[in-house]
Short mmCIF file of all heavy atoms in Angstrom, two decimals:
data_model
loop_
_atom_site.label_atom_id
_atom_site.label_comp_id
_atom_site.label_asym_id
_atom_site.label_seq_id
_atom_site.Cartn_x
_atom_site.Cartn_y
_atom_site.Cartn_z
N TYR T 73 -2.52 -19.02 3.87
CA TYR T 73 -2.75 -19.58 5.29
C TYR T 73 -4.00 -20.33 5.33
O TYR T 73 -4.09 -21.42 5.91
CB TYR T 73 -2.78 -18.35 6.19
CG TYR T 73 -3.05 -18.75 7.63
CD1 TYR T 73 -2.03 -19.24 8.42
CD2 TYR T 73 -4.29 -18.53 8.16
CE1 TYR T 73 -2.29 -19.53 9.74
CE2 TYR T 73 -4.60 -18.91 9.50
CZ TYR T 73 -3.55 -19.46 10.27
OH TYR T 73 -3.80 -19.73 11.54
N ARG T 79 -8.05 -28.46 -0.66
CA ARG T 79 -7.88 -28.79 -2.05
C ARG T 79 -7.36 -27.57 -2.89
O ARG T 79 -7.04 -27.79 -4.09
CB ARG T 79 -9.19 -29.34 -2.59
CG ARG T 79 -10.37 -28.28 -2.75
CD ARG T 79 -11.66 -29.04 -3.11
NE ARG T 79 -12.81 -28.18 -3.26
CZ ARG T 79 -13.16 -27.51 -4.37
NH1 ARG T 79 -12.54 -27.76 -5.53
NH2 ARG T 79 -14.23 -26.78 -4.33
N ILE T 106 -4.27 -3.44 -13.77
CA ILE T 106 -5.71 -3.72 -13.95
C ILE T 106 -6.56 -3.17 -12.79
O ILE T 106 -7.53 -2.44 -12.96
CB ILE T 106 -5.99 -5.24 -14.22
CG1 ILE T 106 -5.34 -5.58 -15.55
CG2 ILE T 106 -7.50 -5.49 -14.20
CD1 ILE T 106 -5.39 -7.07 -15.95
#
Side-chain angles (χ1 to χ4, degrees):
Chain T
Y73 177 81
R79 69 188 178 92
I106 293 173

